[in-house]
Every structure is written in C-alpha cells, then in structure tokens.
Amino acid sequence: GVDIDGSLVVQKTTGNSITVGTTVGNGNDSHFNFQKARGGSSPAIVVDNDSLGTIDWKAYDGSAYIGSAFINAKISGTPASGDVPTKLIFGTRAAGAGSTSVRMTIQANGQVDFGGDVVATGDGTFDDIKVGEWSHADTYAGVFHKNQTDQEYMIISNDGHTQLSAT
C-alpha cells in the first residue's frame, strides 16, 4: 500500500477517477474508511457533534469552486466503548442559494428527517403528495397531505395515534 501523511490531490485536465477494486475469490469488498478520534499522538474518544467524514461535491461557477452537495456523518449523542451513535446528513444547493442546505438527515435511531416540505408528483396515483412537519401545541408530530389544497390529510400525533380526514 501507499501511505500519505496529509492531503492527496488528484488533478488532471482530461478527467479523473479513483477506482478501488477487489478481485479475490471470496466475499470481501472494497472500502473507503473514514476514521475519527480526538487527541493527538494518542487517540481519544469522539464527542457529540464530531464530524466523522464528509463527501463534498463542488462546482466551478466561473470564478471559484463552490459547495454544491454533501453527505456527512456526525456523532449524535454520547459515545462509549462499543457505542457510537451516528447520524447521516445529506445536503444540496438550490438555484440562487448562497450555500448548501441540509435536505435529509437519517438520525442515529433510524428516523428520517426532511429539511422542509417534500413534494412529489407521480403518475396519477400519488399526485401532489406533501409530507412536512407540523406542530399544534406539542400534540402532533407530522402531517401528510394528499393534495395541495389540504382537503385530504393524515395527522400523526406524538403518541402514535393517527387522524384521517377527507373533505
């Protein structure tokens, strides 16, 4: 293998790629490993909100490379031996936006959070589905609308009960 102490930049004017391949007679696969520890010469335990690694996409806008999208893994809670709660964060940049924004987070407990409303238009079966956070006196945890006029909806309360309505 090759050990590099510091940063590695691969740059070529005709295009780049980094390929990690495995050709072995077993089930082993290729890996990119991001490792994080606090400390200096001696590793120390990570803490809540430490970033474990980021895949960052940048595009040249004519004058500089600007952040366009990212995937980031972060510690989400208090780590202990054999227990490292981690969330995965996805971000993109909207047209005209000054920076990237978090669009979706997979929490350590598996809950998926969306940054803002999620609107999907389908083939007639799922027209105008809108899912978003909504709160009413800490009673409701989420709301599902079948159409933009909010005439059909399902509310999910904090205790897990649902309320359906079609007007």
Side-chain angles (χ1 to χ4, degrees):
V2 177
D3 290 328
I4 298 171
D5 188 13
S7 298
L8 168 67
V9 177
V10 178
Q11 186 169 349
K12 189 175 180 180
T13 59
T14 58
N16 303 318
S17 68
I18 296 175
T19 302
V20 179
T22 302
T23 55
V24 295
N26 58 35
N28 293 339
D29 59 356
S30 301
H31 290 81
F32 277 109
N33 291 311
F34 294 90
Q35 295 182 160
K36 165 72 177 181
R38 285 193 165 234
S41 58
S42 178
I45 192 167
V46 292
V47 299
D48 187 32
N49 214 33
D50 271 0
S51 178
L52 300 180
T54 302
I55 300 173
D56 211 356
W57 289 267
K58 295 183 178 192
Y60 193 73
D61 70 353
S63 60
Y65 287 97
I66 60 170
S68 302
F70 66 87
I71 301 172
N72 175 249
K74 266 190 175 176
I75 299 297
S76 180
T78 304
S81 181
D83 183 18
V84 186
T86 306
K87 62 184 172 184
L88 201 54
I89 304 162
F90 296 82
T92 62
R93 184 184 192 121
S99 63
T100 53
S101 297
V102 172
R103 305 298 184 186
M104 181 176 76
T105 302
I106 303 173
Q107 299 292 344
N109 65 2
Q111 174 183 323
V112 179
D113 298 332
F114 295 97
D117 288 344
V118 177
V119 179
T121 302
D123 59 2
T125 307
F126 300 105
D127 285 341
D128 298 320
I129 293 175
K130 183 170 90 172
V131 180
E133 281 189 63
W134 182 63
S135 176
H136 182 267
D138 296 325
T139 305
Y140 302 117
V143 63
F144 165 94
H145 299 279
K146 182 182 182 301
N147 56 48
Q148 295 296 342
T149 61
D150 296 338
Q151 293 175 355
E152 299 178 27
Y153 63 87
M154 176 177 72
I155 295 174
I156 304 169
S157 66
N158 288 333
D159 63 5
H161 290 89
T162 58
Q163 175 183 346
L164 302 174
S165 175
T167 56

